Amino acid sequence: MGGQNLTSLDDALEHLLSRAQVIDRTETLPLERTLGRILAEDIRVPADVPPADNSAVDGYAVRVADTASGEPLPVSARVAAGQAPGSLEPGTAVRIFTGSEIPAGADAVVMQERTEPRDGGIAIMAAVEQGQNIRRQGQDLRSGAIALSAGTPIRPQEMGLLGSMGIGSVEVLQPLRVAVFSTGDELVDPGQPLQAGQIYNTNRYTLTGLLQAVGCDIVRCETLRDNRENTRSALLGAAAEADLIITSGGVSVGEEDHVRVVLEESGELSLWRLAIKPGKPLAFGSLDGTPVLGLPGNPAAVLVTFLVAGLPYIRHCQGNRRYHVLGEYLPAAFSVDKPSVRREFLRARKQANGDLIEIAAYPNQSSGVLSSACWGDGLAVVPEDTTLAAGDRVLYYAFSELLG
């Protein structure tokens, strides 16, 4: 089929992101509950980190000038971490430990391994340089500087940085509220026996898993039967409580594809049919001002379109300013003989071929074969109007990177 009336993925993303509105609801959480959340405010450093010069090693604090003669130095004091350091007596050394504050008058720390005990003191067995093994006050963070900007996703390292500044709670954006609808009379929930013509509802669990993985709150999760008025009623009800509605199925051209028609009749349909494979029948619009993302019905197409089109939109709505997917180029262990007008996303994974790391594609790339995504660890991208020979470099996105 030709590319007539298909929107390129690049144009679709530009359209989606232009419509994405960052949620403005915030809440204040204790630091231990902030993992995965998005900062709602700039965090300024309240005081220098570290607050004073401290030792980077276990050893001895000295004055460089006192080491020039090469004579042993008596040990005049001992400073453990957490103790007030006092002052260094000229011509002596102070026993010091990692994290201990540097005594006044000392300008270097000699590692314990570079010393030998001598008659109640130490002999220094290596050259000593000004400032060695001293972590300077404010070398990590300076008072008043912005340590973390609004829109930063909080990972374990951000939690640690906030803790290092003495910050016990922060203001974060509330989760995006999402309503999820699967469509089709044929759908049955797992755990029930199948009757003739029925299939299990795959997409419900793929989508709820994806949304949970990216920190969304699922406020509704329902199956819609193939009835236009019921579909309209359910979607309008969800529009009153959700920030985003995601559907699977019902957006193609069949007589029972009601989601697209409801958007056209009762709301707005601003995007439909993308030049990607799998995932051509993707729709985007709104009902009562609430955005609606209509994904295809085939299971692998749901996964792909969510990752490459839906997730950038969601990350923008979440206020995540750091979401940017780079991918990597690696040799392909497969070939593509026939060019397509659609950009193709192959379920794929890395594999070793001797010393070479290459990208292998699952043999069956049907949009109904979800096992391909369980076999794979990411997506290989074949651009529009492109053929590929084995060994050619192909762009590969790991699922873990796509999910951010």
Side-chain angles (χ1 to χ4, degrees):
M1 179 178 288
Q4 187 176 8
N5 298 324
L6 298 182
T7 302
S8 73
L9 179 59
D10 295 334
D11 288 343
L13 285 172
E14 182 178 354
H15 176 81
L16 287 167
L17 296 182
S18 72
R19 299 293 187 95
Q21 297 294 318
V22 178
I23 53 176
D24 57 7
R25 303 182 308 274
T26 67
E27 58 185 331
T28 300
L29 293 180
L31 187 54
E32 62 268 20
R33 292 176 51 202
T34 59
L35 182 64
R37 303 299 290 272
I38 306 296
L39 279 175
E41 58 182 348
D42 291 342
I43 302 296
R44 291 191 177 273
V45 183
D48 287 346
V49 178
D53 292 353
N54 68 86
S55 179
V57 297
D58 292 344
Y60 295 88
V62 298
R63 291 195 313 168
V64 173
D66 291 338
T67 68
S69 67
E71 295 295 321
L73 296 176
V75 178
S76 58
R78 181 181 186 275
V79 180
Q83 291 182 339
S87 299
L88 173 65
E89 295 181 18
T92 72
V94 168
R95 181 72 166 115
I96 199 168
F97 301 90
T98 303
S100 299
E101 194 170 323
I102 302 297
D107 56 14
V109 174
V110 182
M111 291 179 65
Q112 179 175 318
E113 294 86 343
R114 301 290 188 267
T115 67
E116 290 183 357
R118 295 281 174 86
D119 299 327
I122 57 162
I124 298 173
M125 312 306 293
V128 182
E129 298 180 358
Q130 192 92 16
Q132 73 178 38
N133 297 320
I134 294 178
R135 294 188 292 219
R136 295 298 184 186
Q137 176 178 338
Q139 75 168 23
D140 192 0
L141 299 168
R142 283 288 184 187
S143 178
I146 294 179
L148 296 169
S149 301
T152 298
I154 300 176
R155 301 169 296 176
Q157 52 266 51
E158 279 77 27
M159 293 176 71
L161 190 67
L162 290 163
S164 76
M165 294 183 283
I167 295 173
S169 62
V170 291
E171 188 177 4
V172 296
L173 295 176
Q174 290 187 6
L176 194 71
R177 301 174 303 200
V178 184
V180 179
F181 294 99
S182 310
T183 68
D185 288 341
E186 74 280 12
L187 298 179
V188 175
D189 287 337
Q192 302 180 33
L194 290 179
Q195 305 299 322
Q198 294 181 329
I199 60 173
Y200 286 120
N201 188 345
T202 302
N203 296 336
R204 173 177 184 167
Y205 299 95
T206 301
L207 286 172
T208 54
L210 287 166
L211 290 166
Q212 289 169 4
V214 298
C216 295
D217 276 352
I218 300 171
V219 295
R220 282 198 186 190
C221 189
E222 302 173 12
T223 299
L224 300 178
R225 299 306 168 191
D226 290 326
N227 177 285
R228 186 159 303 171
E229 291 313 309
N230 287 347
T231 298
R232 191 190 322 273
S233 176
L235 293 180
L236 286 171
E241 59 181 303
D243 301 308
L244 171 66
I245 299 169
I246 297 181
T247 65
S248 62
V251 293
S252 193
V253 294
E255 294 178 1
E256 302 298 334
D257 289 321
H258 300 297
V259 173
R260 176 180 57 83
V261 177
V262 168
L263 287 176
E264 290 177 322
E265 292 179 348
S266 301
E268 176 200 27
L269 178 68
S270 60
L271 181 67
W272 183 47
R273 297 187 2 126
L274 300 192
I276 65 173
K277 182 180 180 180
K280 180 173 67 174
L282 179 142
F284 179 76
S286 63
L287 281 173
D288 282 355
T290 298
V292 180
L293 179 64
L295 303 180
N298 282 315
V302 165
L303 175 70
V304 169
T305 51
F306 181 94
L307 291 174
V308 305
L311 191 49
Y313 174 85
I314 287 171
R315 288 305 196 194
H316 192 98
C317 293
Q318 290 176 319
N320 187 336
R321 297 181 185 175
R322 288 195 176 181
Y323 183 70
H324 184 61
V325 179
L326 297 175
E328 57 183 326
Y329 282 91
L330 293 167
F334 59 91
S335 61
V336 176
D337 299 325
K338 295 181 180 180
S340 172
V341 296
R342 294 191 280 164
R343 189 178 307 179
E344 189 164 5
F345 292 86
L346 306 177
R347 278 77 74 203
R349 70 185 184 191
K350 293 180 181 180
Q351 68 179 23
N353 182 3
D355 294 333
L356 182 69
I357 301 298
E358 58 187 13
I359 300 299
Y362 193 75
N364 188 342
Q365 291 289 328
S366 167
S367 60
V369 178
L370 189 59
S371 58
S372 60
C374 298
W375 174 91
D377 293 317
L379 300 174
V381 184
V382 181
E384 300 89 332
D385 305 311
T386 299
T387 58
L388 202 66
D392 288 348
R393 292 168 67 81
V394 64
L395 179 59
Y396 174 76
Y397 295 115
F399 289 140
S400 57
E401 183 186 13
L402 287 165
L403 287 169

